[in-house]
Amino acid sequence: MLELFRQKMPLSCLLYGLLERCFSAERLDRIFLENAKEQYTREILFSTVCDLMLSVVLKVHPSINAAYQKQPEPLGVTVSALYEKLKGVELPVSQALLRDTSEDLSAILDALGFIPEPWLPGYPVRILDGNCLAASEKRLAVHQNVSGAALPGKSLVVFDPERRLMRDVFPCEDGHAQERRLLDAVADSMKAGELWIADRNFCTLGLLGQVHGRGAYALMRLHQNLPLTEETLFSCADENAGRRLLEKRVGVAGRPYRLVRVELEQPSRDGDAFIDLLTDLPAEIPAAAVADLYRRCWTLETAFQHVEKHFNSEIETLAYPKAALFGFAVALVAYNIFSVMISALDCAHQKPVSKDISGYYIAHEIAATFLALIQLGEGLDWRFVAACAPPEFAAWLRDTARHVNLRALKKHSRGPKQPKTKPPYDPKQPHVSTYQLLRGKK
C-alpha cells in the first residue's frame, strides 16, 4: 500500500516521511526531557503538544483550540490545561527542537549526495539576523488597559544559505529587548573557520572580539558608532558594472580589518550614498567578492518571507511569549523540511531541478493529496522513517522523489509586464457591459 502511495502521491509521501522523522514522539519527548528545567510531563506529553502546534503551523487548523477539537480521540486534558502547557514551553526546548532536527536534516543531505554550492570556498557561511514576532491578539488581563500592540517576543536566527537550513534560533520573550543582549549566546555557537555575515546592528566590539576569539571570520556592515583606527587611505579596489569599490585597512581594538566601501548608483532609502563593510577575511579575497557576499545575505530575509507566507509562523491567538516563540520554532523546522524535500528532488535526478519547478504547483499538489494520504494511510506504520539511519532514510527519499512528475511542476515564465495607461474615470459611465464591448470590437 505504501509503495502505491509513493507512486501516486510522491510529494505528499516525501513531506509525510520528513514530518514523521523530525516530529517523531521519541525525538520530541527526548528533547523535552533533556532541556526542560521547570516543566514536567504529567497529563499530556510534549510530543502531543507539538503535534497540535504543527497542525496549526501547517495551516491544517486555524488555531490550537480548533486542532484540539478535531482530535479523533480525547486527549484526557481540558483545552485550558493544553494552553497552560503551551504558555510554559521553555525557551531552551524550542531552541533544541530546531538544533536537533537541523543536525539530522544536514546529515540526511550528506547521505543524499547533496553538494552545496559554496558561497566562499573553504568558509562555511552563517547569516545572522533578527525576527520580531507580529503583535498578538490582546487576550490577557494585562492587555485590557493597553492601547499599543502587544508584542509576544523576538528571536535571532542563524541561517545556513549553502544548505538552505535554519541552523539555530535564540528566542527572547521581551518584544522590546535589544537584540544585542542575545549576542553572547550566539557567540557560543560559533565554530572556527566559519564566516558570519550580519547587518550593522550586530557590528559591536563585543561580537567582533568573540568571532575573532573563536577562530571565525566576520563580514558586517559598519556601525557608525564602532570605534576604529584608520591605518591607510582608501584606494580603488574595483570598478565595473557601474559600481565603484574602495578599500582601506583599519584597526578595531588592536586587530586588523579591511573596510570595503561600496558606492551606490542611487542613494538608499536612508539616504546613504555608500555602504561600508567591515571584514577580517584574508586580503587575497577581493573586495568585489566581499561586496557580493554581503549582497547575497538578503537570502535570509527571503527565507523569512517564505516562512511567513507558507506557514502560520506568527499565530495571533498565542499571546503568551513562550507559546508564540514555540510556534515560531516549529515553523522554522517546517521550513527546513520543505527545503530538504526540494533538495531530495535535485538529488534524485541527473541534474538539479529546483530552479525549474514552481513552488505554487508543489503546494497545490500537496494540498490536493496530503489529506487523502493521511486518511487512507491510517493503518500504515511510518515509524521506520524515524528509526532508520540517515543513509537508509536518504535512499528512501531519493527513491520516492524519482516518482515525481516534474513536467507537471514546471515553471511557466512570462515576459515582463507592459505598462498600461489607465483610462480616466467617467462618472457618467460607472460600469460597462462586456458583451456590448465584445460586439463592438467585432
Side-chain angles (χ1 to χ4, degrees), residues 301-336:
E301 293 291 339
T302 304
F304 280 153
Q305 292 173 5
H306 288 171
V307 171
E308 182 179 353
K309 178 181 179 181
H310 298 297
F311 308 110
N312 193 2
S313 61
E314 300 177 353
I315 304 171
E316 296 180 349
T317 55
L318 295 179
Y320 282 103
K322 289 180 180 178
L325 292 167
F326 172 54
F328 180 66
V330 172
L332 294 181
V333 177
Y335 171 87
N336 285 349

Side-chain angles (χ1 to χ4, degrees), residues 332-349:
L332 294 181
V333 177
Y335 171 87
N336 285 349
I337 286 174
F338 273 82
S339 179
V340 172
M341 185 177 72
I342 299 301
S343 297
L345 290 176
D346 282 337
C347 297
H349 298 85

Side-chain angles (χ1 to χ4, degrees), residues 238-282:
D238 189 22
E239 190 169 0
N240 58 24
R243 70 174 184 178
R244 186 164 176 255
L245 301 179
L246 306 175
E247 183 177 351
K248 67 179 177 180
R249 292 195 302 270
V250 298
V252 178
R255 298 184 301 273
Y257 286 85
R258 300 163 59 193
L259 184 63
V260 177
R261 173 167 292 181
V262 183
E263 294 187 348
L264 305 177
E265 297 181 23
Q266 297 180 351
S268 67
R269 60 185 179 185
D270 297 326
D272 298 327
F274 55 83
I275 293 177
D276 283 341
L277 306 177
L278 189 70
T279 183
D280 55 355
L281 286 169

Side-chain angles (χ1 to χ4, degrees), residues 8 12 14 45 65 108 120 150 152 172 177 183 193 199-200 210 221 229 304-305 318 345-346 385 393 395 408 428 441:
K8 300 298 183 181
S12 289
L14 285 173
L45 296 172
N65 185 43
I108 291 170
L120 186 62
C172 176
L183 292 181
D199 202 3
R200 57 186 162 190
Q210 290 173 316
R221 185 175 177 182
T229 56
F304 280 153
Q305 292 173 5
L318 295 179
L345 290 176
D346 282 337
V385 299
F393 181 64
K428 295 182 180 180
K441 185 177 180 180

Side-chain angles (χ1 to χ4, degrees), residues 102-120:
S102 67
E103 287 296 324
D104 187 34
L105 292 175
S106 181
I108 291 170
L109 286 176
D110 290 338
L112 275 170
F114 176 78
I115 303 175
E117 180 182 349
W119 280 29
L120 186 62

Side-chain angles (χ1 to χ4, degrees), residues 10-199:
L11 280 175
S12 289
C13 283
L14 285 173
L15 175 59
Y16 198 93
L18 285 163
L19 288 172
E20 281 287 331
R21 184 175 182 90
C22 289
F23 291 96
S24 67
E26 294 79 6
R27 179 195 295 272
L28 297 175
D29 292 332
R30 172 182 56 79
I31 290 173
F32 181 81
L33 290 174
E34 292 176 353
N35 295 276
K37 305 300 181 184
E38 299 177 1
Q39 275 194 327
Y40 55 89
T41 299
R42 185 172 61 183
E43 296 177 336
I44 184 171
L45 296 172
F46 175 69
S47 55
T48 304
V49 176
C50 205
D51 286 343
L52 293 172
M53 179 65 77
L54 179 63
S55 68
V56 179
V57 167
L58 294 179
K59 300 182 179 181
V60 177
H61 301 298
S63 67
I64 294 293
N65 185 43
Y68 172 85
Q69 300 296 337
K70 289 291 186 178
Q71 286 297 297
E73 297 180 2
L75 294 179
V77 296
T78 63
V79 69
S80 298
L82 173 61
Y83 274 103
E84 283 293 319
K85 186 79 172 182
L86 272 174
K87 78 175 187 180
V89 175
E90 299 168 55
L91 301 187
V93 174
S94 298
Q95 183 182 43
L97 175 63
L98 179 61
R99 282 182 174 179
D100 190 277
T101 53
S102 67
E103 287 296 324
D104 187 34
L105 292 175
S106 181
I108 291 170
L109 286 176
D110 290 338
L112 275 170
F114 176 78
I115 303 175
E117 180 182 349
W119 280 29
L120 186 62
Y123 298 83
V125 175
R126 299 290 182 266
I127 302 177
L128 175 67
D129 201 2
N131 181 271
C132 185
L133 296 181
S136 68
E137 294 180 0
K138 298 180 180 179
R139 294 183 160 225
L140 309 182
V142 294
H143 293 152
Q144 291 180 357
N145 298 319
V146 177
S147 60
L151 300 181
K154 61 175 52 179
S155 301
L156 294 185
V157 179
V158 179
F159 183 59
D160 180 350
E162 298 168 339
R163 291 174 175 268
R164 303 191 295 266
L165 290 178
M166 302 289 184
R167 284 288 192 171
D168 211 342
V169 62
F170 299 87
C172 176
E173 296 179 65
D174 187 355
H176 273 176
Q178 172 54 257
E179 292 175 336
R180 294 181 180 180
R181 63 185 279 186
L182 304 174
L183 292 181
D184 287 341
V186 175
D188 291 338
S189 68
M190 295 178 177
K191 298 179 181 178
E194 293 178 339
L195 172 61
W196 284 73
I197 306 178
D199 202 3

